[in-house]
Amino acid sequence: MNSQTIKQDNIAQQLRFLVGQNLLSSISLILFGVYVFLALAGPYLVPYDPLESNTAIALQGPSSQHFFGTDHLGRDVFSRVIVATRLDLGIAVAAVSISFFIGTFLGALAGYYGGWYERLIGRLADIVLAFPLFVLAMGIVAVMGNSLINVIYATAIINIPFYIRIARAEVSLQRDRQYVQAALLSGNSHFRTLFFHILPNCLPNLIVQISINMGWAILNAAGLSFIGLGVRPPVAEWGILVAEGADYIISGQWWLVLFPGLVLMLAVFTFNLVGDTLRDLADPQKRK
Amino acid sequence: MSIKAKKLLSVSKLAIDFETKKGTVRAVENVSFDLQKGEVLALVGESGSGKSVTAYSILNLLDANGSMPLGEIIYDGMPIHKATPAKLKEIRGREISMIFQNPMSTLNPIRKVGQHLRDMIRNHGYASWSNIEKEIDKLLKQVEIHDLDRVKNAYPFELSGGMCQRVMIALALACRSRLLIADEPTTGLDVTTQKSIMDLIKNLAKEEGLAVILITHDLGIASEYCDKFVVMEKGKVVESNSRVDFFSKSKHPYTKKLLLATPSKEGKVEDLTLEKPSYLNISEPEISEKPLLVVEGLRKTFIKKTGSFLSFVKGKEKKEEFVAVKESSFSIYSGECVGLVGGSGSGKSTTSRMLARLDDASAGKIIFDGVVISDISSNDFIKHPYRKDIQMVFQDPTGSLNPRHTVFDLIAEPLKRLGESFNKNSLDQKVESLMLQVGLPTEFMTRLPHQLSGGQKARVGIARAIALNPKFLILDEPTSALDVSVQATVLQLLEKLRRELGLSYLFVSHDLHVVKMLSQRILVMKEGIIVEQGETSKVMHSPEHSYTKQLMSSIPIIKEKLAIEAIAAF
Amino acid sequence: MLYDKIQLIIKRLMLAVPTLFGVLVISFCLTRALPGDPAVYFAGAMADEASIQHVREKLGLDRSLPYQFLAYCNNLLNGELGQSLTTGQSVTYEIKARLPASLELTLLGLFMGLLIAIPLGILAALKPNTWIDHLCRVLVTAGASTPIFFSGLFLMFVFYYLLGWSPSPIGRLDFIYLEPPHVTGFYTIDALIIGDYEVFKAAFAQLLLPASTLALCALAPIARMTRSSMITALESEYVKAAKANGISTNMRVYVYALQNASLPLLTVIGLVFGFLLGGNVLVEKVYSWPGIGSFAIDALVASDYAAIQGFVLIMAVLFVTLNLIIDILYTLFDPRMGRNE
């Protein structure tokens, strides 16, 4: 019980310290909160139905009625951008959780037991990483079928190797530390030692990876839907919104691309900065 | 030349500040000493004493947040504490040089040794193109390197630590520096290598008139090689004496504490502190008739696959057997402490891991309490009833404690896993009594390892090891990461516990003088073989094997025995 | 020493074999995991029953999986990747014709990225925690966060629509110019070979925007790695020791530190190349660039499986080759390689 409160105290203190130190970190944490809020409550907040078209007001620039303007069918871009938050973050969260659990499990076992098993897992990760990842994701979705769930699977598969590598490296580093031997001497089984003693000590770096991966996953999913894979119109999704606006950029209707693009970029930016902040928290030495 | 030699370096009333997030911190205050040509000065102190910072400030190598607000440093009549960057660049390497701990990492890993020397000489414009190679050869010979071509064309990682340190010294000598600052130059090196490096430095001082500042935590080394002693504690100089006066007239209690705590040839563990420890009135535990642990022909080999990839394809892959431990046999009786001494790579750690049943032996038997436990694989031994009888205290007090567990969690862990079923209350009580037994205040129960000092961490490790009332405890260099004064108290604690609980120890260490204080018998190990074993007094006074003799002669110790007794008597 | 290095390089080459094998297996799986009957897809939309049967036999779809795999490898060895539905040409032909366009774009993008990112990273490492470092951090993070299709469209809007500096952002060359004769397939280089500076300028102008888009995406990881490995090197003990020995600042920074820092940088360049190969697809769509990326997108829309698989395989082979080259360079540059394995 006591240990728990001390730890939390520490993290809270460190957090306060970091926020005081670095303006960017605090901005990123606020933005993170905003995105989570939008993902949860977005659909109840928007002024218009994101799917309701009205050709009479098509392609109008930003105004007090339509903050982000309207698209070629007269739909309210603002509402569509906000509503899309849940879908985009949802895809990323689902994909990253899958890759985190599978990758960490495989990587931790590889790092702990070593030997042929480690080589096999390492090889598998290498083979996946031998593909340019976005290209592999395209191939997977193309073959498994053009659907949302397959976009999630593809995004998960291409991220698994990173968790394998980090978990393997971290665990094999920790495995040589003496507290691991002490745990074994205290009667912990290898399984228990790995998952209850070693893994918690690897968690900080894994969490940093999760945050950075969230950014990648969002980019990846948006990229796939930009080229017509996964989510399909008329569903509102950031990548699709940009793709729909792309045809109008040369004729000067910039708002169709700018607003969804900016919101998407800001989301990724937020996750990257949160990742940086967490990295500082996990290892203050790394960024002096 | 006047009779009174001119001062080469004079530091007076130096203070060093560091800007930190919590404001300015004064790391060093009121430090003064001076040094003449050919003199070796020891700057002695334990971790955090400010000795390294002081040395770095001489060459103005402080980190960007450090500054010298007070005092002056005069080198050869020149005030170098306020020298311009250009002036400093000239002084560094040409007038004053520095060598560091970890010689391997102080050389650029992707530059050959020859290139390092060439960089150095050219940078200071010392030799012309034509004679530069000759100059380099001369330097290497000066530091007693003789296979010149190999060393010149070697990358640092291809050389041993001792060799790298010689190269560092050659770099320091390259431009005829007159002052050498040596920051723990032999920490991490083997005792025999340590001796040869220190002999070299001492020689250079004597023959070439090089002045040396030796920064060290080890009074043994200092007493063996230095002419002048400056002792620092918490950023202040507490003692500054010439060699003659240092051992007889040192007054400061801290100096006395250090002098006492430094292991010596004859010293006993109870003499390490001024106050006599309380365990002296506990009688020696009875030593059993039958041995508790018998080791017969223990062997450990690692198979290394070598040879090129092509030979693998051809099926001619060489499998090289690396023998870590060769047919060792010995026994340990209950109630006694047996010391296991050897240099790095001698196989002493592998032996202790096998005895702790963390590793399986390749051959041989380990018989514990009449049962052959070497037949049980290390995996199965986790659940074996003997698991709780054999425990271990680790070398690295920080690394051996899980950084996320509190002191309570750490000590309770073996009790929860292997102990009889405890309820919450009795577990609390048990942990509390263990903490008291090892001298830890019970309010530390909720602390995390990083909130403890080195000595406290070591105590937690010991409490954890004795929690299950083991019969046999393996002490794997339990004090080598600790400051000497802390080492003294931890050694006394271990002695107390052995007497109180009738424990048997296998005390593994590289330091013969530490081991001999606790042990009744000593095993000396070299390259996987036990080359000598016997009663402590016999091994210490009439060693038979040449390796034992070599070990004894290379460990620097304080020879001024009388003086220590005088202090102890005080 | 030299013998050691050659052995190591052979070892690296051998190690690439299982990776390539794995790549083949995965791309084989991609061809066989198709919903329904692969033969129908590979024969094409116009195929009748007889030609489907012909394809089925040719692919060995009626035989065991290992046999099918061997047949697949055999086809690859003969350079056969199947027929493309959309263009009617063989996939091999299409890829051969379009690959130079993609490579020209990707390599220029990578080069521009390196040119900007490395000095930026060094600058940030030399002055950590100053405004320049913070600016570098923000720029780099922003670069890493920008979706490549968004930055592409943004650049297009600014430099074509608003400023009018860029030529019409469609294709490799404005239609008023003639393609230079095919030598390398890189228009800029081919134009230089025949000495036609007009065409060179036109081709380069077309390249500039899409390549900058890729460079923006490459910036972040390279600058970040340069910064961190430079800081590690600058704070290392050997640099500190060199300072104590009076080695000059320039020597310390640009020889001692940079040499050591360039090794991890080499690895990152491989990684970034992988990024760019993926990002290429998006840039080609935005700029209607006639490379293999836009070929793949057309194939996706038309469910042209043979084309997609050919594309994925070629990209992987390219990437593996580049990483192999980097590994070999690393082996040559780092004296420590192969010693403590």
Side-chain angles (χ1 to χ4, degrees):
Chain A
M1 276 318 281
N2 260 329
S3 66
Q4 216 57 28
T5 50
I6 282 185
K7 260 182 255 168
Q8 272 158 9
D9 233 333
N10 260 328
I11 290 174
Q13 270 171 12
Q14 283 180 27
L15 214 61
R16 221 171 300 140
F17 173 74
L18 269 176
V19 168
Q21 279 294 301
N22 198 328
L23 188 68
L24 268 182
S25 299
S26 36
I27 292 176
S28 71
L29 288 176
I30 293 170
L31 278 175
F32 178 73
V34 169
Y35 273 103
V36 172
F37 175 71
L38 285 182
L40 294 176
Y44 311 106
L45 297 174
V46 291
Y48 299 93
D49 180 348
L51 295 178
E52 186 189 78
S53 54
N54 177 2
T55 37
I57 53 163
L59 293 176
Q60 285 184 351
S63 65
S64 57
Q65 257 90 51
H66 300 280
F67 305 132
F68 292 175
T70 57
D71 68 3
H72 59 290
L73 294 176
R75 293 174 295 197
D76 179 43
V77 177
F78 178 74
S79 303
R80 286 173 68 75
V81 168
I82 298 296
V83 167
T85 312
R86 179 183 285 183
L87 180 59
D88 275 272
L89 293 196
I91 295 173
V93 168
V96 170
S97 340
I98 295 174
S99 39
F100 169 73
F101 283 111
I102 296 180
T104 305
F105 184 75
L106 292 177
L109 290 179
Y112 191 79
Y113 289 104
W116 66 268
Y117 177 75
E118 180 174 20
R119 281 201 292 279
L120 178 74
I121 296 285
R123 265 281 135 223
L124 283 179
D126 284 351
I127 287 169
V128 174
L129 290 177
F131 288 88
L133 294 180
F134 186 71
V135 171
L136 181 61
M138 278 170 66
I140 293 172
V141 177
V143 167
M144 282 169 60
N146 193 349
S147 70
L148 180 61
I149 191 77
N150 287 336
V151 166
I152 294 178
Y153 288 149
T155 309
I157 290 174
I158 61 171
N159 279 324
I160 286 176
F162 294 100
Y163 289 97
I164 291 184
R165 286 195 165 179
I166 291 181
R168 180 175 67 158
E170 282 280 313
V171 168
S172 62
L173 202 77
Q174 299 277 342
R175 186 188 54 179
D176 293 333
R177 301 194 59 186
Q178 287 171 349
Y179 76 83
V180 175
Q181 291 168 24
L184 288 173
L185 279 179
S186 303
N188 289 285
S189 63
H190 285 290
F191 183 83
R192 222 192 130 81
T193 307
L194 173 56
F195 288 99
F196 289 85
H197 287 259
I198 298 181
L199 216 52
N201 282 310
C202 306
L203 223 50
N205 281 335
L206 285 166
I207 289 173
V208 172
Q209 182 64 28
I210 289 180
S211 179
I212 292 169
N213 248 349
M214 281 292 291
W216 288 356
I218 295 172
L219 277 183
N220 192 67
L224 286 176
S225 45
F226 181 79
I227 59 171
L229 289 176
V231 191
R232 263 175 283 193
V235 177
E237 192 276 344
W238 293 332
I240 290 179
L241 292 178
V242 176
E244 285 175 348
D247 300 335
Y248 299 91
I249 193 106
I250 304 185
S251 48
Q253 275 97 2
W254 48 270
W255 57 90
L256 294 179
V257 168
L258 183 74
F259 292 114
L262 269 187
V263 171
L264 166 56
M265 178 178 155
L266 205 59
V268 183
F269 190 69
T270 304
F271 280 107
N272 282 340
L273 276 185
V274 169
D276 268 8
T277 309
L278 290 176
R279 193 200 313 264
D280 291 354
L281 214 60
D283 182 3
Q285 243 77 54
K286 227 168 225 166
R287 197 184 164 92
K288 286 192 179 142
Chain B
M1 267 254 181
S2 62
I3 298 170
K4 198 171 179 211
K6 224 176 82 187
K7 285 177 199 163
L8 184 64
L9 177 81
S10 147
V11 176
S12 56
K13 301 204 168 109
L14 183 71
I16 299 169
D17 282 351
F18 281 100
E19 270 337 298
T20 66
K21 281 157 192 155
K22 289 171 194 148
T24 310
V25 175
R26 180 144 295 183
V28 163
E29 198 170 10
N30 205 10
V31 168
S32 310
F33 56 85
D34 46 48
L35 186 64
Q36 288 165 12
K37 208 171 156 236
E39 253 184 345
V40 183
L41 177 136
L43 204 53
V44 185
E46 295 183 302
S47 46
S49 61
K51 57 186 192 304
S52 289
V53 172
T54 306
Y56 278 74
S57 70
I58 295 171
L59 275 178
N60 206 344
L61 287 174
L62 298 173
D63 288 338
N65 60 345
S67 61
M68 292 180 274
L70 294 170
E72 45 185 29
I73 302 170
I74 313 280
Y75 171 80
D76 204 14
M78 224 177 350
I80 55 175
H81 55 285
K82 46 185 181 191
T84 58
K87 189 80 203 156
L88 269 173
K89 206 202 117 197
E90 254 173 54
I91 291 169
R92 289 175 186 154
R94 185 181 273 190
E95 293 289 337
I96 307 176
S97 291
M98 196 156 176
I99 61 176
F100 302 83
Q101 205 176 332
N102 302 327
M104 293 283 232
S105 55
T106 42
L107 289 169
N108 189 340
I110 56 172
R111 244 173 142 66
K112 292 178 182 172
V113 167
Q115 278 174 308
H116 274 101
L117 285 158
R118 249 164 265 147
D119 287 349
M120 185 70 189
I121 294 171
R122 252 181 237 155
N123 221 279
H124 292 284
Y126 214 86
S128 66
W129 276 92
S130 51
N131 61 3
I132 197 164
E133 291 305 315
K134 235 191 228 161
E135 187 70 17
I136 288 173
D137 289 355
K138 208 178 99 195
L139 281 167
L140 289 176
K141 275 183 201 148
Q142 208 176 352
V143 294
E144 292 158 22
I145 291 176
H146 299 293
D147 44 351
L148 299 174
D149 285 332
R150 183 182 78 89
V151 173
K152 268 199 290 186
N153 289 315
Y155 289 99
F157 68 91
E158 295 172 310
L159 301 174
S160 67
M163 211 51 150
C164 285
Q165 197 60 289
R166 280 169 199 275
V167 173
M168 281 305 292
I169 297 173
L171 281 174
L173 298 175
C175 299
R176 316 278 188 279
S177 290
R178 289 188 287 160
L179 171 62
L180 176 70
I181 301 172
D183 185 8
E184 305 259 7
T186 57
T187 307
L189 299 180
D190 241 323
V191 276
T192 45
T193 318
Q194 161 166 305
K195 184 173 157 56
S196 65
I197 296 278
M198 285 313 300
D199 285 347
L200 172 68
I201 293 176
K202 180 77 189 175
N203 245 349
L204 289 169
K206 220 158 73 187
E207 317 260 301
E208 321 269 329
L210 185 71
V212 180
I213 298 178
L214 175 70
I215 299 151
T216 182
H217 64 279
D218 187 343
L219 260 183
I221 298 184
S223 76
E224 191 112 29
Y225 294 98
C226 298
D227 311 312
K228 250 184 181 177
F229 295 82
V230 174
V231 180
M232 291 187 70
E233 187 203 8
K234 292 177 191 153
K236 290 191 178 115
V237 172
V238 296
E239 195 84 49
S240 181
N241 257 327
S242 71
R243 179 174 192 92
V244 193
D245 293 344
F246 184 67
F247 294 99
S248 54
K249 293 190 187 151
S250 283
K251 284 195 271 315
H252 197 277
Y254 180 72
T255 316
K256 286 178 190 166
K257 188 167 122 187
L258 268 189
L259 276 170
L260 281 174
T262 304
S264 61
K265 184 147 189 191
E266 299 299 331
K268 295 198 174 64
V269 66
E270 58 263 28
D271 298 334
L272 291 177
T273 53
L274 212 51
E275 265 172 57
K276 289 285 164 254
S278 57
Y279 62 75
L280 283 177
N281 50 28
I282 308 173
S283 57
E284 275 282 331
E286 243 172 68
I287 288 176
S288 61
E289 301 247 313
K290 272 203 300 192
L292 176 69
L293 179 91
V294 179
V295 175
E296 286 173 8
L298 194 65
R299 182 183 175 88
K300 179 78 187 176
T301 53
F302 296 102
I303 291 169
K304 225 163 82 184
K305 286 178 191 163
T306 54
S308 66
F309 201 79
L310 283 177
S311 60
F312 168 70
V313 175
K314 288 183 208 141
K316 279 188 200 157
E317 198 184 20
K318 280 175 257 169
K319 275 188 185 167
E320 207 176 286
E321 256 196 5
F322 168 69
V323 185
V325 177
K326 267 181 219 162
E327 279 80 32
S328 339
S329 304
F330 55 87
S331 46
I332 296 172
Y333 295 80
S334 61
E336 79 168 339
C337 173
V338 175
L340 177 60
V341 186
S344 53
S346 60
K348 58 185 195 307
S349 299
T350 314
T351 306
S352 62
R353 285 176 53 85
M354 282 191 288
L355 292 188
R357 302 301 300 119
L358 287 168
D359 255 353
D360 289 320
S362 310
K365 271 187 191 165
I366 304 170
I367 304 162
F368 182 78
D369 220 4
V371 178
V372 182
I373 57 167
S374 48
D375 291 348
I376 307 159
S377 80
S378 56
N379 269 337
D380 296 336
F381 199 77
I382 292 172
K383 296 289 161 222
H384 197 273
Y386 276 155
R387 173 73 286 167
K388 61 184 185 353
D389 290 331
I390 304 177
Q391 291 289 318
M392 191 159 172
V393 178
F394 294 92
Q395 174 177 15
D396 176 4
T398 310
S400 61
L401 302 182
N402 190 331
R404 293 178 167 261
H405 287 185
T406 60
V407 171
F408 176 83
D409 296 335
L410 287 163
I411 300 177
E413 179 77 20
L415 294 168
K416 284 188 205 154
R417 296 278 148 265
L418 294 174
E420 303 122 46
S421 54
F422 282 102
N423 60 32
K424 175 107 183 56
N425 265 341
S426 66
L427 193 65
D428 275 357
Q429 273 172 10
K430 177 77 185 160
V431 170
E432 229 166 80
S433 76
L434 280 166
M435 287 177 75
L436 290 174
Q437 206 166 7
V438 297
L440 275 174
T442 45
E443 58 272 23
F444 283 9
M445 211 181 255
T446 53
R447 290 207 185 174
L448 289 166
H450 71 264
Q451 298 165 310
L452 302 175
S453 71
Q456 288 159 353
K457 284 183 218 169
R459 283 164 199 273
V460 173
I462 293 170
R464 173 175 63 188
I466 61 168
L468 293 165
N469 294 323
K471 293 180 182 149
F472 176 50
L473 210 52
I474 296 159
L475 312 171
D476 186 9
E477 306 247 14
T479 59
S480 66
L482 302 174
D483 281 330
V484 274
S485 57
V486 182
Q487 164 171 290
T489 55
V490 170
L491 288 176
Q492 289 181 347
L493 171 67
L494 288 170
E495 177 68 10
K496 178 188 99 159
L497 291 173
R498 185 179 67 87
R499 293 194 186 201
E500 274 179 1
L501 306 173
L503 287 169
S504 322
Y505 291 159
L506 179 74
F507 189 161
V508 182
S509 174
H510 66 282
D511 192 339
L512 201 51
H513 294 288
V514 171
V515 166
K516 70 121 205 307
M517 286 190 283
L518 288 191
S519 314
Q520 279 80 43
R521 287 188 299 129
I522 287 182
L523 315 169
V524 181
M525 202 163 192
K526 187 199 179 194
E527 287 164 11
I529 301 171
I530 294 179
V531 293
E532 179 156 3
Q533 53 178 311
E535 300 285 319
T536 302
S537 56
K538 195 184 143 281
V539 174
M540 292 304 289
H541 290 115
S542 47
E544 277 163 16
H545 197 273
S546 60
Y547 181 68
T548 319
K549 288 178 196 158
Q550 194 194 351
L551 267 186
M552 294 252 251
S553 65
S554 33
I555 300 174
I557 43 161
I558 302 174
K559 301 238 167 57
E560 280 76 356
K561 205 176 76 188
L562 268 174
I564 295 176
E565 275 165 13
I567 292 169
F570 163 83
Chain C
M1 196 69 195
L2 185 67
Y3 178 70
D4 280 359
K5 293 277 182 202
I6 292 172
Q7 269 206 337
L8 258 181
I9 289 171
I10 293 173
K11 202 168 168 180
R12 292 260 168 268
L13 288 172
M14 299 292 234
L15 279 175
V17 172
T19 309
L20 266 181
F21 181 77
V23 166
L24 283 183
V25 171
I26 288 189
S27 72
F28 170 75
C29 289
L30 288 182
T31 62
R32 293 304 183 271
L34 289 177
D37 183 355
V40 178
Y41 294 107
F42 282 94
M46 306 301 207
D48 50 23
E49 195 49 47
S51 65
I52 290 176
Q53 187 55 35
H54 175 71
V55 169
R56 183 172 292 133
E57 275 162 23
K58 198 173 149 214
L59 292 175
L61 290 173
D62 42 356
R63 310 284 285 268
S64 69
L65 270 178
Y67 179 87
Q68 289 185 36
F69 181 66
L70 286 179
Y72 173 75
C73 294
N74 188 40
N75 281 344
L76 284 184
L77 278 180
N78 296 326
E80 272 181 49
L81 290 165
Q83 292 294 121
S84 165
L85 276 179
T86 35
T87 62
Q89 295 283 1
S90 82
V91 174
T92 322
Y93 169 83
E94 287 289 339
I95 287 178
K96 251 190 204 156
R98 287 161 170 268
L99 191 59
S102 296
L103 274 183
E104 188 178 25
L105 182 59
T106 313
L107 291 176
L108 184 66
L110 181 64
F111 181 70
M112 286 169 67
L114 288 172
L115 217 59
I116 304 166
I118 292 179
L120 202 63
I122 294 177
L123 217 60
L126 287 178
K127 299 185 177 355
N129 283 332
T130 55
W131 65 270
I132 203 155
D133 183 26
H134 291 307
L135 185 72
C136 174
R137 185 186 181 190
V138 173
L139 278 182
V140 155
T141 316
S145 313
T146 315
I148 207 160
F149 50 87
F150 177 59
S151 49
L153 288 167
F154 183 77
L155 288 181
M156 188 193 282
F157 178 70
V158 172
F159 291 98
Y160 173 70
Y161 179 81
L162 283 183
L163 300 172
W165 293 356
S166 167
S168 167
I170 292 167
R172 295 179 78 185
L173 204 55
D174 206 289
F175 62 89
I176 57 168
Y177 297 102
L178 278 178
E179 277 178 37
H182 183 101
V183 183
T184 57
F186 290 17
Y187 281 7
T188 45
I189 293 178
D190 286 350
L192 283 180
I193 288 173
I194 57 164
D196 190 339
Y197 296 106
E198 275 295 302
V199 173
F200 170 78
K201 256 168 68 183
F204 191 73
Q206 270 328 109
L207 258 176
L208 210 52
L209 276 191
S212 311
T213 310
L214 285 177
L216 273 180
C217 153
L219 214 58
I222 301 174
R224 187 184 274 257
M225 192 53 160
T226 312
R227 177 188 183 277
S228 74
S229 52
M230 266 308 265
I231 286 189
T232 313
L234 285 171
E235 285 179 353
S236 69
E237 299 200 16
Y238 54 85
V239 170
K240 217 194 264 170
K243 187 177 179 186
N245 279 335
I247 301 283
S248 67
T249 314
N250 280 339
M251 180 94 177
R252 283 201 315 264
V253 173
Y254 296 104
V255 180
Y256 277 45
L258 195 57
Q259 262 185 5
N260 277 285
S262 59
L263 290 170
L265 204 56
L266 209 53
T267 323
V268 165
I269 291 174
L271 204 78
V272 167
F273 189 71
F275 268 6
L276 293 190
L277 284 180
N280 206 28
V281 178
L282 296 167
V283 173
E284 287 187 10
K285 177 169 161 86
V286 170
Y287 287 91
S288 312
W289 196 261
I292 50 175
S294 47
F295 172 62
I297 294 176
D298 291 344
L300 275 178
V301 174
S303 294
D304 182 357
Y305 291 102
I308 297 165
Q309 283 130 26
F311 162 75
V312 172
L313 185 67
I314 286 299
M315 289 297 227
V317 170
L318 259 181
F319 192 36
V320 170
T321 314
L322 182 95
N323 276 324
L324 192 63
I325 294 172
I326 284 179
D327 268 355
I328 290 174
L329 285 179
Y330 207 113
T331 319
L332 289 176
F333 289 151
D334 191 343
R336 284 162 294 187
M337 286 303 280
R339 290 291 169 142
N340 13 334
E341 272 186 34

